[in-house]
CSV table of all heavy atoms in Angstrom, one decimal:
chain,number,residue,atom,x,y,z
A,35,VAL,N,3.2,36.2,37.1
A,35,VAL,CA,3.9,37.3,36.5
A,35,VAL,C,3.9,38.5,37.4
A,35,VAL,O,2.8,39.0,37.7
A,35,VAL,CB,3.3,37.6,35.1
A,35,VAL,CG1,4.0,38.7,34.5
A,35,VAL,CG2,3.4,36.3,34.1
A,37,VAL,N,5.8,41.4,36.8
A,37,VAL,CA,5.9,42.5,35.9
A,37,VAL,C,5.6,42.2,34.6
A,37,VAL,O,6.4,41.3,34.0
A,37,VAL,CB,7.4,43.3,36.0
A,37,VAL,CG1,7.3,44.4,35.0
A,37,VAL,CG2,7.8,43.7,37.4
A,38,PRO,N,4.4,42.4,34.0
A,38,PRO,CA,4.0,41.9,32.7
A,38,PRO,C,5.0,42.3,31.7
A,38,PRO,O,5.7,43.4,31.8
A,38,PRO,CB,2.7,42.6,32.5
A,38,PRO,CG,2.3,42.9,33.8
A,38,PRO,CD,3.3,43.2,34.7
A,39,LYS,N,5.1,41.5,30.6
A,39,LYS,CA,6.0,41.8,29.5
A,39,LYS,C,5.6,43.1,28.8
A,39,LYS,O,6.6,43.8,28.2
A,39,LYS,CB,6.0,40.6,28.7
A,39,LYS,CG,7.2,40.7,27.5
A,39,LYS,CD,7.3,39.6,26.7
A,39,LYS,CE,8.4,39.6,25.6
A,39,LYS,NZ,8.4,38.4,24.7
A,40,ALA,N,4.4,43.4,28.9
A,40,ALA,CA,4.0,44.7,28.2
A,40,ALA,C,4.7,45.9,28.9
A,40,ALA,O,5.0,46.9,28.2
A,40,ALA,CB,2.4,44.8,28.3
A,41,VAL,N,4.9,45.8,30.1
A,41,VAL,CA,5.6,46.9,30.9
A,41,VAL,C,7.0,47.1,30.3
A,41,VAL,O,7.6,48.1,30.0
A,41,VAL,CB,5.6,46.8,32.3
A,41,VAL,CG1,6.2,47.9,33.1
A,41,VAL,CG2,4.0,46.8,32.8
A,42,LEU,N,7.8,45.8,30.3
A,42,LEU,CA,9.2,45.9,29.7
A,42,LEU,C,9.1,46.3,28.2
A,42,LEU,O,10.1,47.2,28.1
A,42,LEU,CB,9.8,44.6,30.0
A,42,LEU,CG,9.7,43.9,31.4
A,42,LEU,CD1,10.3,42.4,31.3
A,42,LEU,CD2,10.5,44.8,32.2
A,43,THR,N,8.3,45.8,27.5
A,43,THR,CA,8.3,46.2,26.0
A,43,THR,C,8.2,47.8,26.0
A,43,THR,O,8.7,48.5,25.1
A,43,THR,CB,7.2,45.5,25.3
A,43,THR,OG1,7.5,44.1,25.5
A,43,THR,CG2,7.2,45.9,23.8
A,286,SER,N,0.1,38.1,38.9
A,286,SER,CA,-0.8,37.8,37.9
A,286,SER,C,-0.7,36.3,37.5
A,286,SER,O,0.4,36.1,36.9
A,286,SER,CB,-0.9,38.8,36.7
A,286,SER,OG,-1.0,40.1,37.2
A,287,GLN,N,-1.6,35.4,37.7
A,287,GLN,CA,-1.5,34.1,37.3
A,287,GLN,C,-1.7,34.0,35.9
A,287,GLN,O,-2.8,34.2,35.3
A,287,GLN,CB,-2.4,33.2,38.1
A,287,GLN,CG,-2.2,31.8,37.9
A,287,GLN,CD,-3.0,30.9,39.0
A,287,GLN,OE1,-2.9,31.2,40.1
A,287,GLN,NE2,-3.7,29.8,38.4
A,288,LEU,N,-0.6,33.4,35.2
A,288,LEU,CA,-0.8,33.4,33.7
A,288,LEU,C,-1.3,32.0,33.3
A,288,LEU,O,-1.8,31.9,32.1
A,288,LEU,CB,0.7,33.5,33.1
A,288,LEU,CG,0.7,33.6,31.6
A,288,LEU,CD1,0.0,34.9,31.1
A,288,LEU,CD2,2.2,33.7,31.2
A,409,PRO,N,-10.9,37.8,28.4
A,409,PRO,CA,-10.8,38.7,29.5
A,409,PRO,C,-12.1,39.6,29.3
A,409,PRO,O,-12.6,40.0,28.5
A,409,PRO,CB,-9.6,39.6,29.0
A,409,PRO,CG,-8.7,38.7,28.2
A,409,PRO,CD,-9.7,38.0,27.4
A,413,VAL,N,-10.6,44.0,32.8
A,413,VAL,CA,-9.3,43.5,32.7
A,413,VAL,C,-8.3,44.4,33.3
A,413,VAL,O,-8.4,45.6,32.9
A,413,VAL,CB,-8.8,42.9,31.3
A,413,VAL,CG1,-9.0,44.1,30.3
A,413,VAL,CG2,-7.6,42.4,31.4
A,414,HIS,N,-7.3,44.0,34.1
A,414,HIS,CA,-6.4,45.0,34.8
A,414,HIS,C,-5.4,45.5,33.7
A,414,HIS,O,-4.6,44.5,33.0
A,414,HIS,CB,-5.7,44.4,35.9
A,414,HIS,CG,-4.5,45.2,36.5
A,414,HIS,ND1,-4.7,46.3,37.1
A,414,HIS,CD2,-3.2,45.0,36.4
A,414,HIS,CE1,-3.6,46.9,37.4
A,414,HIS,NE2,-2.5,46.0,37.0
A,415,ILE,N,-5.1,46.7,33.5
A,415,ILE,CA,-4.2,47.3,32.5
A,415,ILE,C,-3.0,48.0,33.3
A,415,ILE,O,-3.4,48.9,34.2
A,415,ILE,CB,-4.8,48.3,31.6
A,415,ILE,CG1,-6.0,47.6,30.8
A,415,ILE,CG2,-3.7,48.7,30.6
A,415,ILE,CD1,-5.6,46.6,30.0
A,416,PRO,N,-1.8,47.5,33.3
A,416,PRO,CA,-0.8,48.1,34.1
A,416,PRO,C,-0.8,49.7,34.0
A,416,PRO,O,-0.9,50.1,33.0
A,416,PRO,CB,0.6,47.5,33.7
A,416,PRO,CG,0.1,46.2,33.1
A,416,PRO,CD,-1.3,46.4,32.5
A,417,ALA,N,-0.8,50.3,35.2
A,417,ALA,CA,-0.7,51.8,35.1
A,417,ALA,C,0.4,52.3,34.4
A,417,ALA,O,0.4,53.4,33.7
A,417,ALA,CB,-0.8,52.2,36.6
A,419,VAL,N,2.0,51.2,31.8
A,419,VAL,CA,1.6,51.0,30.3
A,419,VAL,C,0.8,52.3,30.0
A,419,VAL,O,1.1,52.9,28.8
A,419,VAL,CB,1.0,49.7,29.9
A,419,VAL,CG1,0.7,50.0,28.5
A,419,VAL,CG2,1.9,48.5,30.2
A,596,ARG,N,-13.1,51.5,28.5
A,596,ARG,CA,-13.6,50.2,28.5
A,596,ARG,C,-14.9,50.0,27.9
A,596,ARG,O,-15.7,51.0,27.9
A,596,ARG,CB,-13.7,49.7,30.0
A,596,ARG,CG,-12.4,49.8,30.8
A,596,ARG,CD,-12.5,49.3,32.2
A,596,ARG,NE,-11.2,49.5,32.9
A,596,ARG,CZ,-10.2,48.5,32.9
A,596,ARG,NH1,-10.4,47.5,32.1
A,596,ARG,NH2,-9.1,48.8,33.5
A,600,VAL,N,-11.5,46.9,24.9
A,600,VAL,CA,-10.8,47.8,25.9
A,600,VAL,C,-9.7,48.5,25.1
A,600,VAL,O,-8.9,47.9,24.4
A,600,VAL,CB,-10.3,46.9,27.2
A,600,VAL,CG1,-9.5,47.9,28.0
A,600,VAL,CG2,-11.4,46.2,27.8
A,602,ILE,N,-6.4,51.6,25.2
A,602,ILE,CA,-5.6,52.7,25.7
A,602,ILE,C,-5.6,53.8,24.8
A,602,ILE,O,-5.1,53.7,23.8
A,602,ILE,CB,-4.3,52.2,26.1
A,602,ILE,CG1,-4.5,50.9,27.1
A,602,ILE,CG2,-3.5,53.2,26.9
A,602,ILE,CD1,-3.1,50.3,27.4
A,626,PRO,N,-5.8,49.0,20.9
A,626,PRO,CA,-6.6,47.9,21.7
A,626,PRO,C,-5.7,47.3,22.7
A,626,PRO,O,-4.6,47.1,22.5
A,626,PRO,CB,-7.1,47.0,20.7
A,626,PRO,CG,-6.2,47.1,19.5
A,626,PRO,CD,-5.7,48.5,19.5
A,627,ALA,N,-6.2,47.1,23.9
A,627,ALA,CA,-5.5,46.4,25.0
A,627,ALA,C,-5.2,45.0,24.7
A,627,ALA,O,-4.1,44.4,25.1
A,627,ALA,CB,-6.3,46.4,26.2
A,628,SER,N,-5.9,44.3,23.6
A,628,SER,CA,-5.6,43.0,23.4
A,628,SER,C,-4.1,42.9,22.6
A,628,SER,O,-3.7,41.7,22.5
A,628,SER,CB,-6.6,42.5,22.3
A,628,SER,OG,-6.8,43.4,21.3
A,629,ARG,N,-3.7,44.0,22.2
A,629,ARG,CA,-2.3,43.9,21.6
A,629,ARG,C,-1.2,43.9,22.6
A,629,ARG,O,-0.1,43.7,22.3
A,629,ARG,CB,-2.2,45.0,20.7
A,629,ARG,CG,-3.0,45.0,19.3
A,629,ARG,CD,-2.6,46.2,18.5
A,629,ARG,NE,-3.4,46.3,17.3
A,629,ARG,CZ,-3.3,47.1,16.3
A,629,ARG,NH1,-2.4,48.1,16.4
A,629,ARG,NH2,-3.9,47.1,15.2
A,630,LEU,N,-1.6,44.1,23.9
A,630,LEU,CA,-0.6,44.2,25.0
A,630,LEU,C,-0.2,42.9,25.5
A,630,LEU,O,-1.1,42.0,25.6
A,630,LEU,CB,-1.2,45.1,26.0
A,630,LEU,CG,-1.6,46.5,25.7
A,630,LEU,CD1,-2.0,47.2,26.8
A,630,LEU,CD2,-0.3,47.3,25.2
A,631,ASP,N,1.1,42.8,25.8
A,631,ASP,CA,1.4,41.5,26.3
A,631,ASP,C,1.2,41.5,27.9
A,631,ASP,O,2.3,41.5,28.6
A,631,ASP,CB,2.9,41.2,26.0
A,631,ASP,CG,3.4,39.7,26.1
A,631,ASP,OD1,2.6,39.0,26.6
A,631,ASP,OD2,4.6,39.5,25.7
A,632,ILE,N,0.0,41.3,28.3
A,632,ILE,CA,-0.2,41.2,29.7
A,632,ILE,C,-1.0,39.9,29.9
A,632,ILE,O,-1.6,39.2,29.1
A,632,ILE,CB,-1.2,42.4,30.2
A,632,ILE,CG1,-2.5,42.4,29.5
A,632,ILE,CG2,-0.5,43.7,30.0
A,632,ILE,CD1,-3.4,43.5,29.8
A,633,PRO,N,-0.9,39.4,31.3
A,633,PRO,CA,-1.3,38.0,31.5
A,633,PRO,C,-2.7,37.7,31.0
A,633,PRO,O,-2.9,36.5,30.3
A,633,PRO,CB,-1.3,37.9,33.0
A,633,PRO,CG,-0.2,38.9,33.4
A,633,PRO,CD,-0.3,40.0,32.4
A,634,ALA,N,-3.6,38.5,31.1
A,634,ALA,CA,-4.9,38.2,30.6
A,634,ALA,C,-5.0,37.8,29.1
A,634,ALA,O,-5.6,36.8,28.8
A,634,ALA,CB,-6.0,39.2,31.0
A,635,TYR,N,-4.4,38.6,28.4
A,635,TYR,CA,-4.4,38.6,26.9
A,635,TYR,C,-3.5,37.5,26.4
A,635,TYR,O,-3.7,36.9,25.4
A,635,TYR,CB,-4.2,39.9,26.3
A,635,TYR,CG,-5.4,40.8,26.4
A,635,TYR,CD1,-5.3,41.9,27.3
A,635,TYR,CD2,-6.6,40.6,25.8
A,635,TYR,CE1,-6.2,42.8,27.5
A,635,TYR,CE2,-7.6,41.5,26.1
A,635,TYR,CZ,-7.5,42.6,26.8
A,635,TYR,OH,-8.6,43.4,26.9
A,636,THR,N,-2.4,37.3,27.3
A,636,THR,CA,-1.5,36.2,26.9
A,636,THR,C,-2.2,34.9,27.1
A,636,THR,O,-2.0,34.0,26.2
A,636,THR,CB,-0.2,36.3,27.8
A,636,THR,OG1,0.4,37.5,27.5
A,636,THR,CG2,0.7,35.1,27.4
A,637,LEU,N,-3.0,34.8,28.2
A,637,LEU,CA,-3.7,33.5,28.3
A,637,LEU,C,-4.7,33.3,27.2
A,637,LEU,O,-4.9,32.2,26.6
A,637,LEU,CB,-4.4,33.5,29.7
A,637,LEU,CG,-5.4,32.3,30.0
A,637,LEU,CD1,-4.4,31.0,30.1
A,637,LEU,CD2,-5.9,32.5,31.3
A,638,GLN,N,-5.4,34.4,26.7
A,638,GLN,CA,-6.3,34.3,25.7
A,638,GLN,C,-5.6,33.9,24.4
A,638,GLN,O,-6.1,33.0,23.6
A,638,GLN,CB,-7.0,35.6,25.5
A,638,GLN,CG,-7.8,35.8,24.1
A,638,GLN,CD,-8.4,37.2,24.0
A,638,GLN,OE1,-8.7,37.9,24.8
A,638,GLN,NE2,-8.4,37.5,22.6
A,639,ASN,N,-4.4,34.6,24.1
A,639,ASN,CA,-3.7,34.2,22.9
A,639,ASN,C,-3.2,32.8,22.9
A,639,ASN,O,-3.3,32.1,21.9
A,639,ASN,CB,-2.6,35.1,22.7
A,639,ASN,CG,-2.9,36.5,22.6
A,639,ASN,OD1,-4.1,36.7,22.0
A,639,ASN,ND2,-2.2,37.5,22.9
Side-chain angles (χ1 to χ4, degrees):
V35 178
V37 179
K39 190 175 180 180
V41 175
L42 300 177
T43 303
S286 300
Q287 187 168 310
L288 189 61
V413 60
H414 173 70
I415 306 297
V419 174
R596 302 184 184 275
V600 181
I602 302 176
S628 57
R629 292 186 179 180
L630 301 176
D631 199 349
I632 59 179
Y635 290 109
T636 300
L637 180 60
Q638 172 186 324
N639 294 337

